[in-house]
Amino acid sequence: NTDSKFYGRDFIAIQDDNRYFIEYELSQHGGSHRKIEITKEIYKDARRGDKSISDLFIKYNLYHLDVTEYDI
């Protein structure tokens, strides 16, 4: 872990200047990843290290961002 990147249980929280992202592996065949932009509040919460990606999606209702448009 660094000041700008945190490796959580099943995600990576990333700070890029004043933008924040969360990246996670998809469970589909081929193991692709998805990267979505999040708020600073979510980033700080993710860095605490006590939540999974599912916990963050539930707490912040991020399901509308879980779309193929953000696949990397």
Side-chain angles (χ1 to χ4, degrees):
N1 294 326
T2 66
D3 289 341
S4 62
K5 200 176 268 191
F6 175 80
Y7 293 84
R9 287 190 227 167
D10 48 3
F11 64 88
I12 303 170
I14 304 160
Q15 178 182 358
D16 185 9
D17 293 324
N18 290 326
R19 296 176 69 194
Y20 304 90
F21 301 91
I22 201 157
E23 183 178 326
Y24 52 97
E25 188 172 3
L26 300 173
S27 60
Q28 65 192 34
H29 181 69
S32 59
H33 292 82
R34 189 162 288 159
K35 183 177 180 181
I36 60 174
E37 190 162 2
I38 56 174
T39 65
K40 185 176 183 178
E41 174 189 4
I42 299 169
Y43 174 77
K44 286 183 173 183
D45 196 11
R47 285 193 64 99
R48 287 189 189 101
D50 62 347
K51 292 178 181 63
S52 68
I53 190 67
S54 296
D55 296 334
L56 293 168
F57 265 75
I58 291 166
K59 181 174 181 179
Y60 296 102
N61 194 23
L62 299 175
Y63 295 104
H64 66 284
L65 299 173
D66 195 25
V67 294
T68 58
E69 174 181 339
Y70 298 112
D71 287 2
I72 54 172

